[in-house]
Amino acid sequence: GENVEQHPSTLSVQEGDSAVIKCTYSDSASNYFPWYKQELGKGPQLIIDIRSNVGEKKDQRIAVTLNKTAKHFSLHITETQPEDSAVYFCAASLLGNQFYFGTGTSLTVIP
Amino acid sequence: GAVVSQHPSRVICKSGTSVKIECRSLDFQATTMFWYRQFPKQSLMLMATSNEGSKATYEQGVEKDKFLINHASLTLSTLTVTSAHPEDSSFYICSAAQGAEQPQHFGDGTRLSIL
C-alpha cells in the first residue's frame, strides 16, 4: 500500500516569513494530493489540492508543488500570519480510493 | 460549498453505553463516506469506508461488530460505538466525497469520552 512521510513534525516561523512542509509518497499510481489544515478540536479543512497532471498550484498565499518523478510534494505558505498556526496534514490517494495521510506538521507562527 | 456536519461534537458517557454519531453532507450528495479515529497529536486512522446502500468496508483490526456503520442515504452515515469502554475514548471524524474523482470533506469530529 501507499506510505506517506511528512516533515518536519513541528515548525516555528516568525510572522511574515515563509513556511514549507514536505511530503513523500511511495506508490507511483497515486494521482491526487490534498493538504488539510486542522485547528485544535476541529476536523481537517481542505486548503489546497493538486492532481498528478499538474506540477504546481497556487491560491493566494498558499502553493503546492508536485514532483512525480521524485514522488514528493510540498506546501508553501508565504507571508505567514498567526492564524496560520495549526496542524497541517498531507495526503496521497488514487482518487476514489482511501487517503493515506502524513503524520502531520504542527506550525506555529510567532507574532 | 461541500459542508459536512457531524453530531454530536462531544459525548461523555458511562462504560457499557452505546453511542451513535451522525455525519451529514449538507449541500451535496455523498456516494462515499469515511470514518476516522484520531489519537492526540497523531494522524487520522481510517476505520471504514461506507458506500450508500451497501455494507461498509472495514480496515484491518477494526471490529465491525463494535463499530457499526450505516449509510442509508446519500447525505447521512452513522457510526455506532457499541458497548463503549474507556479504551474507545477518542476523536472520531467523518468525511464525505461527492463522487469517485472528488476530494474528501471532513466534519468537525466527535470527542468521545467513556468513563
Side-chain angles (χ1 to χ4, degrees):
Chain A
E2 176 65 276
N3 180 47
V4 178
E5 295 189 356
Q6 182 172 347
H7 299 281
S9 57
T10 59
L11 178 61
S12 292
V13 298
Q14 289 291 137
E15 182 177 358
D17 287 350
S18 296
V20 180
I21 302 170
K22 298 181 179 181
C23 287
T24 61
Y25 62 100
S26 60
D27 189 346
S28 57
S30 290
N31 61 6
Y32 177 65
F33 308 92
W35 285 90
Y36 287 88
K37 175 183 181 182
Q38 186 176 26
E39 296 177 338
L40 193 62
K42 295 201 169 186
Q45 179 185 15
L46 178 68
I47 55 172
I48 196 167
D49 57 6
I50 192 167
R51 303 196 182 199
S52 59
N53 58 347
V54 176
E56 184 174 358
K57 184 177 177 181
K58 189 174 182 179
D59 181 4
Q60 299 182 352
R61 297 187 296 108
I62 296 173
V64 56
T65 58
L66 170 65
N67 183 326
K68 285 193 298 181
T69 303
K71 294 205 281 281
H72 65 72
F73 55 112
S74 300
L75 176 70
H76 304 253
I77 306 174
T78 59
E79 300 172 32
T80 53
Q81 301 167 2
E83 51 265 39
D84 294 329
S85 297
V87 178
Y88 291 81
F89 290 99
C90 65
S93 82
L94 192 59
L95 260 179
N97 295 320
Q98 71 176 83
F99 282 14
Y100 294 88
F101 284 91
T103 48
T105 296
S106 178
L107 173 65
T108 301
V109 179
I110 303 165
Chain B
V3 178
V4 176
S5 175
Q6 189 173 338
H7 291 281
S9 58
R10 185 172 182 103
V11 180
I12 302 173
C13 58
K14 294 181 179 180
S15 185
T17 306
S18 291
V19 178
K20 180 185 280 189
I21 303 169
E22 290 189 350
C23 181
R24 294 181 185 271
S25 55
L26 297 186
D27 53 359
F28 67 99
Q29 293 188 324
T31 55
T32 308
M33 288 185 170
F34 303 84
W35 288 95
Y36 294 83
R37 185 172 178 175
Q38 187 177 33
F39 293 101
K41 297 186 178 182
Q42 292 192 24
S43 190
L44 290 84
M45 181 188 79
L46 180 66
M47 298 174 66
T49 301
S50 168
N51 289 296
E52 186 263 340
S54 61
K55 289 184 178 181
T57 302
Y58 290 81
E59 294 301 299
Q60 192 173 8
V62 178
E63 300 176 58
K64 59 182 179 182
D65 295 331
K66 174 76 171 176
F67 299 99
L68 300 178
I69 291 172
N70 184 282
H71 192 165
S73 77
L74 284 172
T75 58
L76 174 64
S77 177
T78 60
L79 168 68
T80 301
V81 184
T82 61
S83 187
H85 292 286
E87 58 266 28
D88 299 323
S89 298
S90 192
F91 192 52
Y92 292 88
I93 311 175
C94 72
S95 71
Q98 197 166 355
E101 297 292 314
Q102 299 299 316
Q104 293 182 32
H105 299 278
F106 287 81
D108 267 345
T110 297
R111 173 73 58 194
L112 176 62
S113 300
I114 308 298
L115 306 177

